[in-house]
Amino acid sequence: MADYGIRRYRLREAILSRGLRDGFTLEDGALETAERGQIVLPALDSAQLDCAWGRLSLHCRLGPEGMLTVRAFASNQNAVVRNNMVVSIDEFLLDPEISRQEKERLFMLADGAEHSGAKDVLLTGQEGRYLWLWLEVTGGGRLEDLRVYVPGDNFFRTFPQVYQTDNDFLRRYLSIFSTMYQELQEEIDRIPELFDVETAPESLLPVFASWLGLETDMALFEAAELRRLLKAAPELLARKGTKWAVMETVKLLTEDPVYLVERNLLPVGADGGTALYGETPYDFTVMLASHLDEKLRLRLKYLIDQFKPARSRYRIVFLEECGGLDAFTYLDLNGRMLQNVPGSLDEGQGLTGTAYLR
C-alpha cells in the first residue's frame, strides 16, 4: 500500500489484553458485550514528540439501543502527580481501584477529545508522543479491527501552507475523502486474501470449487470442510477415480476409522453368497467405525459420487455395535455379545430384537 507517510497502529489482541476491561469479553482480537462494556488501553507510543495523531477507525456492530463513546488524549509526558507522588499514567488508568471520576478528570484536564455515536473518530488537536484511548459501549455490541492513523489524512497536507493555517473546516471536510481513499486502498491491498483458501470469505468458497470443477452445497458442508476440500482438491482431482481419492475424500469429513472393501478383490464366496459387498467387480463398500449419521451419509455420498470410478456402485456402512452374522460384523471392530435390555428413547438404542418393554 502506498502510505504517503501515514503510519497505522493496529490494536490487536496483545494490546487489548493489557487494557483495563469491564464488561467486555476478548476473543480473536474482538471486544464484545451484551449490555455495557468499557476498556481503557495502555499508551500508544509514537516515539515522536508532539506527534499529531490523526484518527481512530474501527468496525463496530451495536445493538438496537447501542452507543459507542470514544475518549482520547495525547501527551509528551507519561506520568502525572497524584497525592504528591509521581505516578505513571498507564499505572493510573489501568488501576481498577481508582474511581471512574478521577480518570474522567484526567482526560478533561489533558484537553482530551470525546466522541459518541461514531465509528471513525478524528483525533485532531491531540498532539504528543503518547496516546491513551478509552472505549465504552452501552446497549451491547462488538468492536473489532481497531486502527489508529498518524496523521489522519493525506490530502490536507498537499495544500499550500496558507490553506493549512487555522482552517479546521477544510481539514474536517477533506478528512471525509481521505478516509474513503484509505479504506478503498486497504480493500485493494486485501485482494490477495480473497484468493487464499484460509482467509477467503465463505461466500467465495463455492466459486473456487466451481473453478476446479467440484460441486458443493453450503447447506450441506461447513466452511472449514470446504476449505479442507479446496486445499486437497489438486491432488484429489489428479487421482480421481482411484481408491486413494475416495478414501481421502471420506477422511475430509470424518476423523473416525475408514475402511474400503473392493468386491473384485474378495475371494469367491467370501461373503457367504449374501452379496454384502456388492455383486459385480465394480462394486465397493465404504465402512466407517462410528454411529449412524444420516447427514454425514448424505455429505459423503455427495462427494464420493464425484471421485468414484466410472460405472462403479458403492454402499456406505456405519459399523455400529452389532451381534448379528452376515451384517457387517467384525470381532475386532464392532462385534459384541448382545444382552436383553429394557427399551428406552433418545439413547441411540437400535431395535436388534433384544430390547423389551418394561
Side-chain angles (χ1 to χ4, degrees):
M1 173 179 177
D3 55 21
Y4 302 103
I6 294 179
R7 288 177 290 166
R8 179 175 57 190
Y9 297 83
R10 284 193 176 275
L11 308 184
R12 303 183 188 273
E13 187 163 353
I15 189 170
L16 294 178
S17 62
R18 292 164 46 205
L20 176 62
R21 285 180 286 126
D22 181 17
F24 271 126
T25 59
L26 176 61
E27 184 176 356
D28 297 330
L31 296 165
E32 190 165 5
T33 180
E35 296 181 359
R36 183 188 184 97
Q38 64 176 348
I39 182 171
V40 182
L41 298 175
L44 294 179
D45 187 357
S46 68
Q48 175 186 340
L49 293 177
D50 299 322
C51 173
W53 296 90
R55 67 185 180 95
L56 167 68
S57 180
L58 53 87
H59 292 159
C60 67
R61 287 179 290 175
L62 301 176
E65 303 297 328
M67 173 69 74
L68 169 65
T69 300
V70 177
R71 299 181 181 87
F73 82 89
S75 173
N76 287 325
Q77 307 297 324
N78 62 354
V80 293
V81 177
R82 179 173 183 264
N83 297 332
N84 297 323
M85 296 180 60
V86 177
V87 180
S88 164
I89 295 180
D90 275 358
E91 183 179 329
F92 174 80
L93 292 176
L94 303 183
D95 188 346
E97 301 298 326
I98 297 178
S99 68
R100 175 190 179 98
Q101 290 72 20
E102 287 189 77
K103 296 174 183 178
E104 288 180 340
R105 179 175 172 79
L106 174 61
F107 275 78
M108 182 183 66
L109 293 176
D111 196 20
E114 181 174 336
H115 301 271
S116 296
K119 65 177 182 179
D120 202 289
V121 177
L122 289 178
L123 301 176
T124 306
Q126 299 304 313
E127 297 183 358
R129 173 175 174 174
Y130 305 98
L131 176 71
W132 287 270
L133 295 171
W134 182 351
L135 309 178
E136 184 173 5
V137 169
T138 56
R142 177 183 175 91
L143 308 180
E144 57 187 341
D145 194 19
L146 284 76
R147 294 153 290 159
V148 174
Y149 295 89
V150 180
D153 65 79
N154 50 357
F155 292 157
F156 186 72
R157 293 175 298 156
T158 63
F159 281 73
Q161 187 65 36
V162 64
Y163 292 99
Q164 299 183 34
T165 304
D166 299 328
N167 203 334
D168 188 58
F169 170 77
L170 180 62
R171 176 189 291 272
R172 291 179 178 275
Y173 181 71
L174 291 177
S175 69
I176 299 174
F177 302 98
S178 180
T179 299
M180 295 171 59
Y181 171 81
Q182 291 179 13
E183 291 181 350
L184 178 60
Q185 184 63 53
E186 290 177 2
E187 289 293 329
I188 294 174
D189 291 340
R190 283 198 292 265
I191 287 179
E193 298 179 8
L194 299 179
F195 294 92
D196 188 334
V197 173
E198 290 290 350
T199 57
E202 293 183 17
S203 58
L204 284 181
L205 300 180
V207 178
F208 296 157
S210 66
W211 290 353
L212 297 172
L214 297 175
E215 296 181 12
T216 56
D217 187 343
M218 290 299 291
L220 282 178
F221 301 98
E222 298 178 359
E225 294 171 338
L226 285 181
R227 295 184 198 277
R228 291 199 299 268
L229 174 61
L230 289 172
K231 287 191 290 185
E235 191 170 4
L236 287 174
L237 292 171
R239 302 173 69 172
K240 189 174 183 179
T242 64
K243 175 181 178 180
W244 182 90
V246 173
M247 289 283 289
E248 292 302 314
T249 300
V250 174
K251 291 177 181 178
L252 289 175
L253 301 182
T254 179
E255 296 180 355
D256 296 314
V258 180
Y259 307 92
L260 192 149
V261 178
E262 299 178 73
R263 180 67 181 85
N264 66 316
L265 297 182
L266 293 176
V268 177
D271 59 356
T274 59
L276 289 178
Y277 304 102
E279 300 178 352
T280 72
Y282 306 106
D283 297 344
F284 65 92
T285 303
V286 177
M287 298 183 291
L288 289 82
S290 65
H291 292 287
L292 177 63
D293 186 335
E294 288 297 340
K295 185 176 180 180
L296 177 59
R297 181 196 294 275
L298 183 61
R299 291 149 66 205
L300 289 173
K301 186 177 185 303
Y302 196 91
L303 288 184
I304 293 176
D305 284 341
Q306 300 182 58
F307 290 95
K308 70 181 183 67
R311 299 187 303 278
S312 64
R313 300 180 305 180
Y314 66 94
R315 298 174 64 182
I316 300 175
V317 177
F318 290 85
L319 299 175
E320 297 185 283
E321 291 185 350
C322 182
L325 300 178
D326 295 337
F328 298 104
T329 302
Y330 301 89
L331 295 179
D332 58 340
L333 289 177
N334 63 332
R336 70 168 182 173
M337 298 297 293
L338 294 180
Q339 297 178 348
N340 292 333
V341 295
S344 59
L345 299 177
D346 298 331
E347 292 185 4
Q349 181 174 313
L351 298 179
T352 59
T354 61
Y356 62 90
L357 296 178
R358 184 173 62 178

